[in-house]
Each structure stands twice: as C-alpha cells, then as structure tokens.
Amino acid sequence: MSQPAKTILMQTKKLGKTFSHGGVQQHVLKNLDLTLYQGDFTVIMGSSGSGKSTLLYAISGMDKPTLGEILFAGQDITGMSNDQLAVFRRKHCGFVFQQIHLLDTMSVLDNVLSSAFLVQKNRTAAVSKAKQLLAEVGLDASKWTKFPAQISGGEAQRAGIVRALINAPTAVFADEPTGALNSAAGTSVLNVLTELNERGQSIIMVTHDLKTALRGNRILYLRDGIMVGELQLPPFRETNGPERQEQLQTFLADLGW
Ligand SMILES: Nc1ncnc2c1ncn2[C@@H]1O[C@H](COP(=O)(O)OP(=O)(O)OP(=O)(O)O)[C@@H](O)[C@H]1O
Ligand SMILES: [Mg+2]
C-alpha cells in the first residue's frame, strides 16, 4: 500500500552557519538542503559539536544563518527582522530545552501563562487551555500553584512542554529534552512527546541518546555540519521496540556512531 504524500513543514536551501573565533572562521553548517514534513517526529543525531543545536536554532528562527534560506510555514524567515522573527517564533514554534527555564518567582500555571498569546485578550480562555494541557501531560492540579523549586525535574519539564504548547505551535523543537532527567522522569517526558506526535504535532528533536531517538519516525544524522544519513522508522509503539531499536543501531553503527 502506498503511503499518503506528506506535506512539507519547512525547507532549508544551502543553509550555512559560520562562527568567528578571534578572526578564525568555523563553518558549522555547510550547504544544508533539508526538507522536514508535517506530522513527523524528526530526530537529529550526531556527535558532540557536529552542529545539531546550531541547526535547531537556525530552523526555529532563534538564530540567523550566515547563508542560505529557510522556508517555514510558507514563509521565508531568513529575510525577517528580529522583531518579525520574534512574532513568528511565538506563533509557530514551541521550545523544550535540556535546562528548563521556568521563572522561579512564578507558579507553574503563571509560567505557562507568561508565554500565552491569548492571555492579554482572553485570560479566562488562556487559563482554561493551560489547565487542560497541564492535566494532559499528567501534572496533578495540586502542582499548578507550586513554584518551580517545589516540584521535581520531570514535573518541571512537563510544565516546560505545556509552555511550549500553549500557543498551539506549528512545530515543537526540543534539544535534549531528557538530558537533565533521571530515567523514569525522562520516560514520562518522552511519553508526553510521543502522544503529542500521535495526535499530529510535528516535533523536531535533537538528541545523542538512543532511547530518546527511538521515539522518532525519521532520524537524520549530522556530521561536521553535513547531513550524512537518514533513516525512516515506523512510528513508535510500546510493542515494536526491539525491531526499531535494531534498525536504529544498525544505521548508527554504519555511520560509525
Ligand atoms: N554561539 C556560538 N559562538 C561560537 N561558536 C559556536 C556557537 N555555538 C556553537 N558554536 C560552535 O559550533 C560547533 C557546533 O556546536 P553545536 O552546539 O551546534 O553542537 P552540537 O552538535 O549541538 O553538540 P552537543 O551534542 O555537544 O550539544 C561547536 O564547535 C561550537 O563550539
Ligand atoms: Mg547541542
């Protein structure tokens, strides 16, 4: 049976990023032509320093590339001013980082609301959306009024995911979202991401962890700023772990990971 055609989420054309260190130039991303698709759980892998985070920041409009073009949600974001880019990011991008940047003087709920577009127009609707999402990621109502210091790392990361989702972003970008968590908390965060993807949320995640990468259905491998490998996997299910893990391990072994 043929697969339904996928819709393009974003495309990069000859994307380049160069950093200068005391007059010496480091070409971190080199001529990248990349197409990402809606509804995919895309995973970007590669060794430390290969440019994964740099790529994620460029395609999400957090940092500007040196060369090339990025077409995202039908718009060329490379030509945007910083102000335009900030508006674009707020509307289209949700971010989940390894370090969870919740503001410690605000409750969990207020942290989420601080990112909500809707909050100035219709606070009641924003609060009810925030509460619905907090419940969906499994954060008990007793935690919503707590401060970040009073909850666990895994709970904080789930609140971080809700903050990333509050504006119904076109794509969620995650950079090592479980890197600072213990195994159980990491798994619960990955379960939340998997469930979001099952409901159609496009996710682009950077990781060097095999178990984390296994949640993706498309794995891209970056080496020295060049995409050197790609693997399509069936979507993650609790029951298909071993075959997918073997496929991914073979793919990574061939790349010398
Ligand atoms: N803001 C910056 N200024 C200068 N150099 C940078 C900057 N950001 C990244 N680099 C350099 O770009 C290269 C790639 O960095 P990047 O953070 O993208 O790697 P990574 O693949 O995410 O690595 P890791 O797995 O360790 O997070 C590194 O050599 C890094 O020193
Ligand atoms: Mg990184």
Side-chain angles (χ1 to χ4, degrees), residues 40-101:
D40 270 357
F41 194 145
T42 305
V43 170
I44 300 168
M45 297 190 81
S47 56
S48 183
S50 56
K52 304 181 297 295
S53 296
T54 304
L55 174 61
L56 199 76
Y57 298 156
I59 61 179
S60 60
M62 292 234 300
D63 197 10
K64 291 195 170 188
T66 316
L67 289 169
E69 256 175 56
I70 302 163
L71 300 168
F72 181 179
Q75 296 181 63
D76 178 358
I77 66 167
T78 28
M80 288 185 182
S81 68
N82 287 338
D83 287 350
Q84 287 171 322
L85 214 46
V87 174
F88 180 88
R89 272 198 311 268
R90 230 176 153 195
K91 188 156 172 226
H92 290 287
C93 307
F95 296 96
V96 182
F97 299 101
Q98 177 171 352
Q99 297 307 330
I100 307 137
H101 306 285

Side-chain angles (χ1 to χ4, degrees), residues 8 28 43 50 59 61 72 79 97 106 142 145 148 162 184 212 215 231:
I8 291 174
V28 176
V43 170
S50 56
I59 61 179
F72 181 179
F97 299 101
M106 279 186 194
S142 65
T145 49
V162 170
T212 307
R215 300 303 181 118
L231 175 71

Side-chain angles (χ1 to χ4, degrees), residues 4-243:
K6 287 188 171 180
T7 308
I8 291 174
L9 172 72
M10 68 166 68
Q11 268 185 312
T12 72
K13 293 184 184 163
K14 304 243 173 289
L15 187 70
K17 179 75 183 179
T18 300
F19 292 110
S20 287
H21 309 266
V24 180
Q25 298 211 314
Q26 183 189 7
H27 302 291
V28 176
L29 301 178
K30 299 164 191 161
N31 265 320
L32 270 180
D33 288 325
L34 183 65
T35 303
L36 303 182
Y37 299 94
Q38 277 178 25
D40 270 357
F41 194 145
T42 305
V43 170
I44 300 168
M45 297 190 81
S47 56
S48 183
S50 56
K52 304 181 297 295
S53 296
T54 304
L55 174 61
L56 199 76
Y57 298 156
I59 61 179
S60 60
M62 292 234 300
D63 197 10
K64 291 195 170 188
T66 316
L67 289 169
E69 256 175 56
I70 302 163
L71 300 168
F72 181 179
Q75 296 181 63
D76 178 358
I77 66 167
T78 28
M80 288 185 182
S81 68
N82 287 338
D83 287 350
Q84 287 171 322
L85 214 46
V87 174
F88 180 88
R89 272 198 311 268
R90 230 176 153 195
K91 188 156 172 226
H92 290 287
C93 307
F95 296 96
V96 182
F97 299 101
Q98 177 171 352
Q99 297 307 330
I100 307 137
H101 306 285
L102 295 178
L103 298 168
D104 29 313
T105 53
M106 279 186 194
S107 71
V108 165
L109 183 61
D110 285 337
N111 261 286
V112 171
L113 290 172
S114 71
S115 293
F117 248 155
L118 193 62
V119 82
Q120 270 131 30
K121 272 197 251 156
N122 186 342
R123 190 175 163 87
T124 317
V127 169
S128 96
K129 170 98 187 284
K131 287 181 173 175
Q132 179 206 330
L133 289 168
L134 285 165
E136 276 173 20
V137 301
L139 261 192
D140 192 81
S142 65
K143 311 282 182 187
W144 302 350
T145 49
K146 295 251 194 302
F147 291 99
Q150 300 171 305
I151 59 175
S152 73
E155 288 165 347
Q157 189 58 298
R158 280 183 273 159
I161 292 174
V162 170
R163 193 181 46 185
L165 293 172
I166 191 74
N167 296 321
T170 307
V172 167
F173 296 88
D175 196 348
E176 298 286 5
T178 61
L181 303 177
N182 67 33
S183 171
T187 300
S188 85
V189 163
L190 291 176
N191 288 344
V192 168
L193 293 175
T194 301
E195 215 177 293
L196 284 170
N197 179 250
E198 279 169 5
R199 285 194 258 146
Q201 176 71 59
S202 305
I203 300 177
I204 298 131
M205 177 176 75
V206 163
T207 187
H208 62 252
D209 177 61
L210 188 80
K211 209 174 99 193
T212 307
L214 272 171
R215 300 303 181 118
N217 68 288
R218 185 179 181 214
I219 319 291
L220 302 173
Y221 196 92
L222 201 59
R223 180 182 292 140
D224 294 331
I226 294 169
M227 210 52 83
V228 293
E230 170 175 356
L231 175 71
Q232 296 282 346
L233 285 173
F236 175 89
R237 300 274 178 274
E238 287 300 337
T239 48
N240 64 5
E243 304 103 87

